[in-house]
């Protein structure tokens, strides 16, 4: 169950687009909503291709229609994970384009602090590897992205070609960050004061991620405790979800949102690379990935996310004692 995707995630692109009213995350992008400021409503964008979103009706954002992602949202509306994803409100057509209409996840927050975390040990489908092996497509743009971070990363042949394949770039990207070792990586953060960053490409070690999370929560113990509670509730739902165990979930993110009033929310977003398994096959999302088993490491990553939040909480509790 694979198809054309609109993009993937979260690399380059502005974090705040004041001319729009939506948001988009790393790979394929998922909107998380409007932010109200003194200048009016702004579109928060932590990465991805611009132009995939439009303003919807009150409390909603529009994302360009992808049939496979639409199918995922329809299934999730009757699954135990329903409360942990944006509400799917059907399809609409605007200016000749078809969109899915999704819940604006920032509607109940005032000047929110937002973080996008890409889940799993890999951000490419097994089907993408198979396709690249059969008919490799060289990407000069991804070669440029690679040398922009590490000029020694490409092989001698890749330097000669001045291009790399998409799976090769994505494998390198995963290994360079914390994805391969920890099962997740931070893609972008926007703070309450409007400052933002997506410079986490080399944030790889557990210690460095602990520092990023501590900064994100501004060392607020109560906010950390609320995130831990919500993450554990989400994990419990995932472990009993028929949708979750029957899909390879790649390139999906967790959206973390809190504000000064200590309102806190966490949602699963971005299902452009979520692939249904053959009938009767399931994944535990923790087993080590080997080509052919389709394990994605999602729960392995979530175990580490929760553990790191707990480490941050312990440190804050100790310092306040």
């Amino acid at each position: 169950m694979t198809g054309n995707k609109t993009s993937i995630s979260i690399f380059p692109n502005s974090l705040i687009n004041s001319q729009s009213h939506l948001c988009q995350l790393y790979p394929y992008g998922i909107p998380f909503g409007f932010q109200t400021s003194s200048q009016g409503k702004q579109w928060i964008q932590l990465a991805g291709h611009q132009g995939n979103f439009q303003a919807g009706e009150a409390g909603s954002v529009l994302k360009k229609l992808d049939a496979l992602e639409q199918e995922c949202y329809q299934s999730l509306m009757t699954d135990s994970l329903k409360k942990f994803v944006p509400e799917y409100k059907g399809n609409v057509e605007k200016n000749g384009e078809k969109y899915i209409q999704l819940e604006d996840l920032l509607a109940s927050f005032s000047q929110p602090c937002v973080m996008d975390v890409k889940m799993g040990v890999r951000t490419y489908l097994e089907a993408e590897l198979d396709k690249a092996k059969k008919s490799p497509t060289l990407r000069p743009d991804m070669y440029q992205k690679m040398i922009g971070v590490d000029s020694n990363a490409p092989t001698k042949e890749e330097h000669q070609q001045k291009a790399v394949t998409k799976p090769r770039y994505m494998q390198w990207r995963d290994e360079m960050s914390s994805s391969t070792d920890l099962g997740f990586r931070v893609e972008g953060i926007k703070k309450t004061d409007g400052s933002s960053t997506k410079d986490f490409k080399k944030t790889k070690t557990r210690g460095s991620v602990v520092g990023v999370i501590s900064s994100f929560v501004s060392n607020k113990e109560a906010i950390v405790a609320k995130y831990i509670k919500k993450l554990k509730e989400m994990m419990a739902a995932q472990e009993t979800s028929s949708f979750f165990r029957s899909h390879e979930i790649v390139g999906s993110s967790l959206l973390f949102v809190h504000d000064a009033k200590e309102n806190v929310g966490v949602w699963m977003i971005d299902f452009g690379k979520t692939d249904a398994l053959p009938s009767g096959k399931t994944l535990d999302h923790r087993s080590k990935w080997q080509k052919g088993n389709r394990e994605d490491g999602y729960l392995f990553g979530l175990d580490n996310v929760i553990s790191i939040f707990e480490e941050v909480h312990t440190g804050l509790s100790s310092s306040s004692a």
Side-chain angles (χ1 to χ4, degrees):
M1 182 177 149
T2 57
N4 295 328
K5 309 299 192 290
T6 40
S7 90
I8 198 181
S9 171
I10 286 183
F11 298 145
N13 279 353
S14 65
L15 292 173
I16 298 180
N17 183 336
S18 61
Q19 297 177 342
S20 305
H21 297 262
L22 305 171
C23 71
Q24 176 179 354
L25 304 190
Y26 171 38
Y28 303 98
I30 271 266
F32 41 94
F34 300 106
Q35 176 191 352
T36 301
S37 69
S38 58
Q39 288 75 40
K41 289 186 175 181
Q42 294 183 323
W43 169 16
I44 298 176
Q45 178 172 338
L46 289 186
H49 290 198
Q50 298 187 26
N52 288 332
F53 295 91
Q54 294 286 332
E57 61 185 31
S60 301
V61 292
L62 305 181
K63 182 180 181 183
K64 280 189 177 180
L65 175 67
D66 176 278
L68 300 183
E69 185 167 38
Q70 175 196 342
E71 185 178 328
C72 287
Y73 275 112
Q74 286 177 319
S75 297
L76 285 163
M77 291 303 96
T78 58
D79 188 83
S80 59
L81 288 175
K82 179 180 179 180
K83 65 180 287 188
F84 299 104
V85 301
E87 181 186 358
Y88 168 63
K89 301 182 178 183
N91 298 350
V92 300
E93 186 170 330
K94 185 174 182 179
N95 300 325
E97 288 275 5
K98 292 182 179 180
Y99 297 87
I100 55 174
Q101 188 160 236
L102 300 172
E103 174 188 5
D104 173 2
L105 297 176
L106 300 189
S108 62
F109 293 88
S110 176
Q111 295 184 306
C113 188
V114 182
M115 177 171 67
D116 169 30
V117 172
K118 187 71 54 189
M119 298 302 297
V121 296
R122 57 189 170 89
T123 54
Y124 49 88
L125 291 165
E126 288 195 2
E128 290 181 287
L129 294 181
D130 294 336
K131 181 180 179 180
K133 186 175 181 180
K134 292 176 182 177
S135 55
T137 300
L138 294 177
R139 296 283 299 271
D141 58 326
M142 291 186 171
Y143 169 79
Q144 291 299 325
K145 288 180 181 180
M146 184 180 283
I147 63 174
V149 176
D150 183 357
S151 61
N152 296 316
T155 64
K156 182 179 179 180
E157 181 182 6
E158 288 167 343
H159 275 306
Q160 291 172 341
Q161 296 171 155
K162 295 189 180 302
V164 297
T165 65
K166 182 177 179 180
R168 157 71 170 127
Y169 173 82
M170 298 182 77
Q171 286 176 311
W172 165 78
R173 179 74 175 84
D174 292 346
E175 292 167 0
M176 180 181 61
S177 69
S178 59
S179 290
T180 301
D181 293 338
L182 297 178
F184 73 94
R185 68 173 179 248
V186 177
E187 287 289 340
I189 289 176
K190 190 206 76 71
K191 301 296 286 290
T192 300
D193 63 6
S195 63
S196 57
T197 181
K198 48 183 171 52
D199 188 23
F200 301 108
K201 292 181 177 66
K202 293 185 177 181
T203 302
K204 183 178 178 67
T205 66
R206 181 183 176 94
S208 61
V209 175
V210 168
V212 170
I213 300 302
S214 297
S215 174
F216 169 65
V217 299
S218 301
N219 295 316
K220 298 289 182 62
E221 186 178 344
I223 289 175
V224 180
K226 289 181 179 181
Y227 273 131
I228 292 170
K229 182 175 184 293
K230 286 185 177 294
L231 288 167
K232 288 183 175 180
E233 290 173 350
M234 177 184 290
M235 177 179 282
Q238 289 170 339
E239 290 176 330
T240 60
S241 164
S242 58
F243 178 92
F244 195 76
R245 63 174 172 265
S246 63
H247 285 77
E248 178 185 5
I249 302 177
V250 169
S252 181
S253 288
L254 289 183
L255 183 71
F256 292 75
V257 188
H258 66 266
D259 61 20
K261 296 179 180 179
E262 297 186 352
N263 297 311
V264 170
V266 185
W267 293 270
M268 298 172 66
I269 62 172
D270 199 349
F271 299 99
K273 278 194 170 183
T274 294
D275 205 11
L277 302 172
S279 179
K281 181 175 175 59
T282 61
L283 301 179
D284 62 37
H285 300 281
R286 285 191 175 94
S287 295
K288 184 177 178 62
W289 175 62
Q290 294 179 329
K291 181 71 167 61
N293 71 5
R294 300 185 67 173
E295 287 289 351
D296 49 45
Y298 193 112
L299 287 180
F300 165 69
L302 188 53
D303 286 336
N304 281 318
V305 170
I306 292 172
S307 174
I308 286 174
F309 268 86
E310 288 177 334
E311 181 176 336
V312 171
H313 186 263
T314 298
L316 293 173
S317 298
S318 300
S319 63
S320 63

